[in-house]
Amino acid sequence: MDRKDGTIEMLSSLRGKLEDTCKRKMRTPKDFDYLEKCIFLHTHQMVNASTLKRLFGYIGGVASPRESTLDILCQYLGYKNWQAFVSKDCADLVVDSTPIVCDHLYSDELTKGEQIHLIWNPNRSVLIQYEGNAYFIVLKSVNSKLMAGMRFRCHVFIQDEPLFITDLVGFTNQSVDYVCGKSDGIKFFLD
């Protein structure tokens, strides 16, 4: 497809995929700052928030960025470049990988004794406490197979993604690995 031919439709598609990937609608200056950060974290290349604002029509100016900028945006989405995005060349698309751009929490950012409330469908609720070295203990449990007193390891909590825990003790006679929120993911809150 020629860059001028169908550009409006392709840019509209690009905008939609950018919002889907960062899981945020571009409505405020903070949203554009967040997208700028996500793009940089994934591609290690900078696309200024002002450029993104022009692309989304949030501010006036040239709405169609240079192809080098479009290449970076498409790389953030998992494509090799703008041309691969336009042609939807499946060979250039990374389908099994995606950057972590939603809220997440690493266990090494916690201090011993901090508590995290986890919820997932249907009506599961667990309160855990950090014990250090990526270990947690279950304090309270509602509608979950994780019971008070069980211990496990977890290095990262990712909002709206399944939670994978290891070395779960107390579920069987030996430690096991376990997943919470396999279909819809979990929500976490620091208590």
Side-chain angles (χ1 to χ4, degrees), residues 107-184:
S107 61
D108 62 5
E109 296 172 345
L110 298 170
T111 57
K112 194 172 182 177
E114 278 193 272
Q115 296 179 353
I116 302 173
H117 188 171
L118 305 170
I119 59 172
W120 66 95
N121 288 328
N123 296 327
R124 310 282 195 254
S125 175
V126 174
L127 180 65
I128 61 175
Q129 181 173 295
Y130 186 58
E131 301 220 307
N133 200 26
Y135 280 98
F136 294 85
I137 186 168
V138 177
L139 299 177
K140 294 180 187 173
S141 176
V142 177
N143 299 321
S144 172
K145 292 179 183 175
L146 297 178
M147 305 302 284
M150 290 182 168
R151 296 177 190 279
F152 63 86
R153 288 191 82 175
C154 182
H155 292 278
V156 64
F157 299 86
I158 305 171
Q159 209 70 269
D160 300 316
E161 295 291 338
L163 176 66
F164 296 96
I165 60 179
T166 60
D167 302 323
L168 175 62
V169 176
F171 193 68
T172 65
N173 292 337
Q174 56 187 341
S175 68
V176 297
D177 297 335
Y178 192 80
V179 63
C180 304
K182 190 174 181 179
S183 349
D184 298 322

Side-chain angles (χ1 to χ4, degrees), residues 16-102:
K17 288 180 186 279
L18 288 168
E19 288 180 324
D20 290 345
T21 300
C22 79
K23 297 184 180 183
R24 189 180 276 201
K25 295 289 183 188
M26 296 297 111
R27 295 186 178 128
T28 68
K30 285 185 179 185
D31 296 327
F32 292 101
D33 292 340
Y34 178 76
L35 180 57
E36 174 186 354
K37 179 181 175 184
C38 291
I39 291 167
F40 181 77
L41 288 173
H42 180 68
T43 66
H44 303 290
Q45 298 180 74
M46 180 63 78
V47 176
N48 192 287
S50 297
T51 300
L52 295 169
K53 289 175 185 176
R54 283 191 295 277
L55 174 67
F56 280 82
Y58 187 80
I59 60 174
V62 179
S64 181
R66 290 176 282 169
E67 190 156 345
S68 61
T69 300
L70 293 172
D71 286 345
I72 296 168
L73 297 176
C74 292
Q75 288 166 14
Y76 170 66
L77 298 175
Y79 292 84
K80 182 177 180 182
N81 55 31
W82 170 249
Q83 288 305 316
F85 177 82
V86 170
S87 66
K88 295 186 179 18
D89 182 356
C90 294
D92 290 333
L93 178 62
V94 178
V95 293
D96 288 340
S97 302
T98 185
I100 298 173
V101 294
C102 49

